[in-house]
Amino acid sequence: MTSHLPRYRRWPGIALAAATPLLLVTGCGETEDSPSLNDDEGEVVTDDGGEIVGGPEAPSVDVNSDVEVVGVELAYPVDGLHEVGAEVPLYAALTNIGTEPVTLVDVTGPDFEEAVSGGGSAEPSDAIEITVAQNDNTYIGAEGSPSIVLVGLETELRSSQSIPVTFVFEEAGEITVEVPVSADDSDPFERFSFPDPAEDPSNE
């Protein structure tokens, strides 16, 4: 079996997340810190090659009323291009404000052969089984956390281009997200805040 070695990222707040059980991600909508640029009429600005200037905003979507996929994106292509057949790391935070754990059991899409995981509780290790505890977050691709790699890319991808990716949860159903390639090699959660758990209203 091929060994998949994703490049882990150090995200702001990861050490804090490991030390505290509840760090719910906020600021998931459009903000002034969104990396993409807009013209005077609100249209997204693209360059001559059609790429979004500054990169698209990493999407955040609700799976259900308790579970959210936050800031999901594909790794930046160091050489400027993910070629056909490439293995591409995926980054995201999975948040669960419910009272029961939820488990991500599959990641699928028409533009890659399969998705494999370097962590979680699945056997064999390449299967995806990533559990998000109740009232907690899991950071996909962070150092020390589970990883997901899209294997066998079937289309070339440049920075800011995107492909549809479906996240399948055992308990919460599934959601399809248009996932962009990161515009640069910076930390993916720089524009998200991680509040003090003692101040989080869900604790009241």
Side-chain angles (χ1 to χ4, degrees):
M1 181 177 292
T2 302
S3 176
H4 306 288
L5 298 175
R7 176 172 52 84
Y8 290 101
R9 289 192 173 187
R10 294 181 179 275
W11 288 345
I14 291 301
L16 185 60
T20 54
L22 174 62
L23 290 176
L24 301 181
V25 179
T26 61
C28 298
E30 188 78 22
T31 71
E32 295 179 359
D33 297 326
S34 174
S36 57
L37 301 179
N38 298 76
D39 61 20
D40 292 339
E41 297 180 354
E43 297 296 326
V44 174
V45 178
T46 58
D47 61 18
D48 292 339
E51 294 185 11
I52 300 174
V53 176
E57 181 179 10
S60 300
V61 295
D62 294 330
V63 182
N64 61 22
S65 59
D66 293 331
V67 180
E68 187 176 15
V69 179
V70 178
V72 57
E73 63 184 17
L74 301 178
Y76 175 75
V78 177
D79 297 326
L81 176 71
H82 290 309
E83 297 181 346
V84 171
E87 299 182 1
V88 184
L90 180 147
Y91 303 115
L94 308 179
T95 75
N96 176 19
I97 63 171
T99 58
E100 298 292 335
V102 295
T103 304
L104 180 68
V105 294
D106 203 4
V107 173
T108 65
D111 296 307
F112 54 94
E113 294 178 4
E114 63 175 336
V116 297
S117 176
S121 56
E123 292 292 342
S125 60
D126 274 350
I128 293 177
E129 186 177 330
I130 299 173
T131 299
V132 187
Q134 62 270 27
N135 225 17
D136 204 356
N137 302 330
T138 293
Y139 301 88
I140 304 300
E143 186 172 6
S145 295
S147 66
I148 292 176
V149 177
L150 308 187
V151 177
L153 192 66
E154 296 181 353
T155 183
E156 291 185 346
L157 280 179
R158 297 183 182 276
S159 171
S160 303
Q161 294 180 324
S162 63
I163 58 173
V165 176
T166 300
F167 295 80
V168 182
F169 292 85
E170 188 172 41
E171 305 85 358
E174 63 183 53
I175 188 73
T176 299
V177 186
E178 194 70 22
V179 179
V181 178
S182 178
D184 55 40
D185 202 26
S186 64
D187 290 321
F189 278 95
E190 287 180 340
R191 63 185 176 279
F192 294 99
S193 60
F194 298 86
D196 185 333
E199 299 176 357
D200 194 282
S202 63
N203 283 338
E204 297 178 358

